[in-house]
Amino acid sequence: MSRYLISFPSGAMDRTGTDLRTVAEDAHAVVAAAKAAGVWVFGGGIDESVPPVRVAGDGTVTPGTYPQTARIEGGYSVLDCADRDAALAWAARFAAACRCAQEVRVFGDDPES
């Protein structure tokens, strides 16, 4: 089993009002199915109202991000799938529910985590 990140940026989902509620219900149904299948690890959305910071080894907190991560936003799910094909199938279910394409990335295996 490997862990996969399934995600989309905020701008990809341009729904409002009643349609947004329907999208949320559909996405929550996929989450429930992933939990029932035993592949759900974690998920959620980035709270874009809280500015990111960087924390150094000495505890110094600096506002902002690394330049290459300045646009981390949107919704994320982490699933523990048997293989890439299974992760892609779950991504397709999230894409249908969220009405936007999903990115899929695999986490490197770390036996200590």
Side-chain angles (χ1 to χ4, degrees), residues 58-83:
D58 65 2
T60 302
V61 178
T62 306
T65 66
Y66 289 107
Q68 64 271 34
T69 62
R71 295 289 304 165
I72 292 179
E73 57 177 39
Y76 297 84
S77 298
V78 177
L79 303 182
D80 196 5
C81 297
D83 55 36

Side-chain angles (χ1 to χ4, degrees), residues 12-39:
M13 186 189 295
D14 60 355
R15 307 295 185 200
T16 59
T18 303
D19 193 36
L20 184 58
R21 283 189 292 277
T22 302
V23 168
E25 290 169 2
D26 292 349
H28 290 150
V30 178
V31 169
K35 288 179 177 179
V39 298

